[in-house]
Every structure is written in C-alpha cells, then in structure tokens.
Amino acid sequence: VCISMKPAHYLLILMMVLALASAHAQRFRLGAGLAANLSQMDGDGFSGYDKLGLRLGFRTEVFLAESLDLVVEMNYEEKGSRFESPQIARGAETGRLIDLRSAEVPILLRFFRKHRHTIFLESGVSICYLLSSQFQAPGESPDVMQAYENISPEFNRYEWNAILGGGLVMNNHWGLTLRTSIGFSYLFRDLEGLEAFRRSQHAHVFSPGIQDPVFQLRNDLISIGTYFML
C-alpha cells in the first residue's frame, strides 16, 4: 500500500478532524506529551524492539461522550532499527543503526469503562511524514550499510500506522500511555525485485550487509509515555 499526499493535504485532514470534533464537543483541552519508543523494522532481517527513540509533542482531547474522547496529537518521533553486527559476537561494542525521524499526527478514540480517572483503551491511526534518515555502523566500514543508502531516495515520505494501546488517567492533568504502532503502509517496497530474488537460485533468509539486497521495510514500535493537560 502506497499513499501519496502533499503536506497541504496532510494539514487539511488534521484541521477537518479538529473542526468536526469542536462542533460536536462540550469540552476541548490542550496539553503536551512525552514518550520513549522501542522500534524495529520489518524487512531488515532482524527481530527485536532494540532501537530507542523519543516522541514529544502537543495533544488535544475532545469530550464526545461520557465514556468516549477524541485525541489528536502533533509529535516529533524517532524510530528505526538497531541490530547486532558480526563483531558483537567477538566482543566489540558496536551495532548497526537505522535512525528515522518523523513528524507524526495520531488520531485516536479513547474509551473509558466507568469513570474518567481510571484505566482507558485507545485505538486509531497515525500519519507520519519522514523528516530525515541516517545509517550508521560504528567501528565498521560504511559499506555495510550501503544497501540502505542506495534505497533511501526511494523511501516513502508518508506512512500510515494502526495504533492500539491504553493508559491511566491519574488526575485532571496527568496521565500515562502504553501504545503499539504497526505500519500498514511501507517505508520502502520493491515487489518486482523481491519476486525475482525468490525465484533465483540464490534465494535464502538474509541479513542485510555489504551485498545483501533490501526489498521492503515497514516500521513497528512500542512506546510508554506520560502527558499533561491544561
């Protein structure tokens, strides 16, 4: 799935959501949030949420019903992948890093079972715009990350993610959140190359390196954070 949008469209969606919510809302609150991300990338040949990153930004809460809120945020977000290099097995303290920095707009529905100062569930979608990408291999030749450098100009700037999570409202101002975000669009995808690779006599389970191809990449993350509302 590849969805292409211009920045103006990106902002228009946010404005429409907020305008619709405000028209039907009895209460509208502003605040800020901070979270730690643990992320990985489907397609890099490694598993584990090993990349630590930051998410911070502003949020709005719109009262829709006694047990239902609309939450919209505008965040700066760090994600990507961190995976072990062969040198780690020999004791060297080094690791390969894909560092992605994005602007994120989550649009969520928050559900309360009983009263509001309690545990809640939330779900929705987020739209991300890729700001920058960096590839590092401390202590190794830069060539080991060349496969990613080669495809980075083809990275999709916009990504869509499904969000599922929950949290705790501690009082009228402070709360905690736990979220998982799963990409349903790809940062990069080369289906023709993937099919050709599978058909070739060299098809195998690979770990990207100097000569290993990369055919698709998709972001997943888990985050734990806190927020403050005015």
Side-chain angles (χ1 to χ4, degrees):
V1 178
C2 180
I3 301 176
S4 177
M5 296 175 59
K6 296 180 180 180
H9 297 160
Y10 186 71
L11 294 175
L12 181 60
I13 290 176
L14 177 60
M15 293 173 63
M16 290 175 63
V17 169
L18 291 177
L20 181 63
S22 299
H24 295 84
Q26 300 176 13
R27 188 173 66 209
F28 184 90
R29 303 179 66 198
L30 298 175
L34 175 68
N37 293 333
L38 292 172
S39 59
Q40 69 168 8
M41 300 189 75
D42 291 339
D44 64 3
F46 291 82
S47 61
Y49 290 81
D50 300 318
K51 169 68 168 60
L52 179 64
L54 179 71
R55 184 179 71 232
L56 61 100
F58 300 99
R59 60 185 273 134
T60 63
E61 294 180 359
V62 180
F63 179 92
L64 298 179
E66 188 61 33
S67 60
L68 181 65
D69 287 345
L70 174 70
V71 178
V72 180
E73 300 177 355
M74 296 187 68
N75 298 321
Y76 163 80
E77 183 172 72
E78 299 173 345
K79 55 188 176 181
S81 180
R82 187 179 191 92
F83 45 92
E84 294 183 348
S85 65
Q87 281 80 353
I88 289 182
R90 297 197 292 270
E93 295 182 0
T94 184
R96 301 173 186 172
L97 178 69
I98 302 174
D99 186 14
L100 305 176
R101 303 187 179 192
S102 303
E104 182 208 28
V105 177
I107 303 173
L108 308 170
L109 288 175
R110 181 169 66 171
F111 307 91
F112 295 92
R113 183 178 179 183
K114 294 182 179 179
H115 55 84
R116 289 184 161 267
H117 289 172
T118 185
I119 294 173
F120 62 85
L121 298 176
E122 61 183 6
S123 65
V125 298
S126 70
I127 313 168
C128 292
Y129 178 78
L130 181 64
L131 300 173
S132 67
S133 58
Q134 294 182 339
F135 313 96
Q136 303 174 20
E140 299 184 79
S141 167
D143 292 341
V144 300
M145 302 298 286
Q146 193 61 47
Y148 296 100
E149 293 282 2
N150 291 343
I151 64 173
S152 61
E154 301 178 43
F155 283 176
N156 293 318
R157 285 289 179 179
Y158 287 93
E159 289 184 274
W160 291 78
N161 305 280
I163 297 178
L164 180 64
L168 173 66
V169 177
M170 296 185 291
N171 54 47
N172 196 41
H173 297 288
W174 290 97
L176 301 174
T177 60
L178 176 64
R179 292 178 184 171
T180 179
S181 174
I182 302 173
F184 60 84
S185 65
Y186 285 86
L187 176 69
F188 170 79
R189 201 175 198 194
D190 178 8
L191 290 178
E192 292 183 2
L194 178 60
E195 289 302 316
F197 183 75
R198 286 174 174 172
R199 291 194 301 266
S200 73
Q201 60 181 353
H202 303 294
H204 59 91
V205 177
F206 62 89
S207 301
I210 296 177
Q211 298 179 345
D212 294 320
V214 180
F215 299 114
Q216 59 185 29
L217 295 170
R218 184 172 58 184
N219 288 298
D220 299 326
L221 66 83
I222 298 171
S223 69
I224 182 168
T226 185
Y227 63 83
F228 175 82
M229 303 303 298
L230 299 174

